[in-house]
Amino acid sequence: MPILRQEPLTGEWVIIATDRARRPETFAPQKKEKKAPSPARVDNCPFCYGNEHMTPPEVLAYRDESPKADTPGWSLRVIPNKFPALEQSDNGEGLFIGNFFESCQGYGVHEVIIETPEHNRHLPDLNDYELALVLKSFEERLVSLAGDPKLKYVQIFRNHLREAGASIEHPHCQLLALPFTPPLLDIEYRRCRDYYEEEGRCLLCTLLEEEEKMGDRVVLENDSFLAFIPFAAPLPFTTWIAPRGHASSLEVSQDNWEAKLVPVLKGFLSKLSQKLEDPPYNLYLHLAPLRSEPLSYYHWHMEIIPKLTIVAGLEMATGTYINVSKPEEAAKFLREQKVNVESYK
Ligand SMILES: [Zn+2]
Ligand SMILES: [Zn+2]
Ligand SMILES: [Zn+2]
């Protein structure tokens, strides 16, 4: 008989198929066409080293060699998106317009974080230092964007491969700073606040303790971070990574959180790639609103959703998902894959 499970953080109900459940290994493509490996540099790729003139001027870069902006010698660059979804210009008429039909100027910031100068190195291929720089850039951009009071929330996300929405092959993440708090985040904030008021503690801290105690949905962990498949995962292999220590956003996290997250993130992405043949995925962070004081009720986390099934009518109509993979089986399947990443348990 199928089971309904409710996700504590969002309140969403998920149907976990039992009779129709697929075994974890069936999510790996049966006959994936072997693509020729990409070269380290592609002449017409705007994100490759040597092509810095093809992008808008960088807003942040980590460079070891050349101190000159928009020249080679960098290990990470953050640039404004050349075709931004939102723009940081204000016509002075006030941001929000309308009574019944509300609208708003398309105000915001859309940036691209180019994770590496090389075209063919994805997150699991980066060394620990390089991967920590990617995470550090998130924090630096948050601190900088917090200076604009019109921006309310910064969504950091990564689309891996074309099927997950990546239009440029070169490894990159994006951020979109919005002039409002997105509704999905509002739901998480509200439920976490309610829980805190009733129970006197953070919902996610409690959830992490429960996951740890049960252990059967944990994929990997170290002293500072836990990667697990949530109890009511809406889609196969949905995984969350959260800090064990309470923190509502990156800039209020414990010192050196980046270095501690690296082995868990890299370990998880390596397992996923090896077990399911480098599937497309979306990865994103859920953080406290911009400029908020450290919040005792909200706990930041990363969500990773591999694109292995098609989201269809029922899900779109109701927000209720049918997961054809049991979270515990998916976690076990990934746990079994040994990966060559040092320093995680
Ligand atoms: Zn490139
Ligand atoms: Zn917490
Ligand atoms: Zn979340």
Side-chain angles (χ1 to χ4, degrees):
M1 186 158 168
I3 322 164
L4 276 161
R5 286 184 177 180
Q6 190 184 27
E7 174 48 58
L9 195 59
T10 60
E12 280 166 15
W13 285 91
V14 174
I15 300 167
I16 310 278
T18 46
D19 299 343
R20 295 168 52 193
R22 286 170 56 185
R23 290 155 57 87
E25 59 274 18
T26 64
F27 290 98
Q30 296 305 304
K31 273 199 197 104
K32 193 168 178 175
E33 271 178 48
K34 281 267 176 272
K35 276 199 310 186
S38 299
R41 189 176 183 286
V42 171
D43 281 348
N44 61 0
C45 170
F47 298 169
C48 272
Y49 61 91
N51 289 346
E52 292 76 10
H53 61 281
M54 291 167 75
T55 70
E58 64 201 29
V59 291
L60 171 72
Y62 300 133
R63 336 181 135 261
D64 297 329
E65 300 157 31
S66 161
K68 198 163 174 286
D70 302 312
T71 61
W74 48 278
S75 35
L76 176 144
R77 285 179 90 215
V78 182
I79 53 160
N81 194 308
K82 200 168 181 177
F83 306 102
L86 296 171
E87 291 175 40
Q88 205 172 11
S89 59
D90 185 353
N91 64 12
E93 290 174 6
L95 224 48
F96 285 86
I97 316 147
N99 290 320
F100 179 70
F101 291 111
E102 280 196 58
S103 65
C104 169
Q105 288 178 46
Y107 188 87
V109 175
H110 191 175
E111 294 178 347
V112 178
I113 296 146
I114 310 171
E115 297 158 353
T116 160
E118 288 168 83
H119 194 85
N120 56 0
R121 293 177 72 225
H122 280 276
L123 290 184
D125 309 319
L126 301 184
N127 67 37
D128 289 6
Y129 172 74
E130 293 168 321
L131 187 49
L133 284 187
V134 174
L135 300 169
K136 182 171 172 241
S137 74
F138 298 166
E139 185 179 336
E140 277 205 50
R141 291 313 296 147
L142 279 179
V143 170
S144 168
L145 292 164
D148 180 345
K150 291 202 211 54
L151 301 173
K152 300 286 187 270
Y153 185 77
V154 176
Q155 184 56 61
I156 296 164
F157 61 100
R158 184 176 205 274
N159 300 331
H160 179 63
L161 302 181
R162 198 165 289 278
E163 299 91 317
S167 52
I168 290 185
E169 189 184 40
H170 193 114
H172 66 282
C173 321
Q174 300 180 62
L175 72 77
L176 200 64
L178 300 164
F180 59 89
T181 309
L184 283 184
L185 269 301
D186 258 342
I187 292 172
E188 286 195 3
Y189 299 152
R190 198 185 63 233
R191 289 185 64 89
C192 289
R193 206 163 34 224
D194 289 351
Y195 185 88
Y196 192 84
E197 278 167 14
E198 277 166 33
E199 304 292 332
R201 62 185 318 237
C202 161
L203 193 157
L204 204 65
C205 280
T206 312
L207 192 150
L208 292 173
E209 277 174 28
E210 291 297 318
E211 288 296 352
E212 176 90 70
K213 232 186 279 168
M214 296 184 74
D216 55 352
R217 285 182 294 271
V218 174
V219 176
L220 80 167
E221 60 188 308
N222 65 9
D223 291 343
S224 305
F225 284 88
L226 192 72
F228 62 100
I229 301 202
F231 172 69
L235 290 163
F237 293 91
T238 293
T239 298
W240 294 0
I241 301 180
R244 288 170 183 279
H246 181 84
S248 53
S249 193
L250 307 183
E251 62 283 25
V252 296
S253 290
Q254 55 177 216
D255 283 348
N256 214 12
W257 64 270
E258 300 95 330
K260 293 166 186 157
L261 173 54
V262 161
V264 173
L265 178 59
K266 194 165 161 176
F268 171 74
L269 292 174
S270 304
K271 281 169 178 277
L272 189 72
S273 169
Q274 288 170 29
K275 279 297 232 188
L276 298 176
E277 299 199 27
D278 191 22
Y281 63 77
N282 301 107
L283 174 158
Y284 48 84
L285 303 183
H286 274 167
L287 309 169
L290 211 49
R291 288 179 301 281
S292 48
E293 293 292 307
L295 302 175
S296 28
Y297 62 84
Y298 193 69
H299 193 128
W300 79 266
H301 53 280
M302 180 183 280
E303 303 189 7
I304 300 153
I305 323 267
K307 248 195 162 46
L308 302 166
T309 52
I310 293 170
V311 171
L314 175 75
E315 289 82 358
M316 293 173 86
T318 61
T320 298
Y321 284 72
I322 300 178
N323 188 345
V324 290
S325 160
K326 288 186 198 154
E328 296 73 16
E329 283 182 9
K332 180 165 180 273
F333 181 72
L334 291 180
R335 242 186 349 255
E336 284 167 357
Q337 176 70 37
K338 296 274 174 278
V339 286
N340 194 16
V341 180
E342 303 276 315
S343 71
Y344 71 83
K345 272 201 254 176

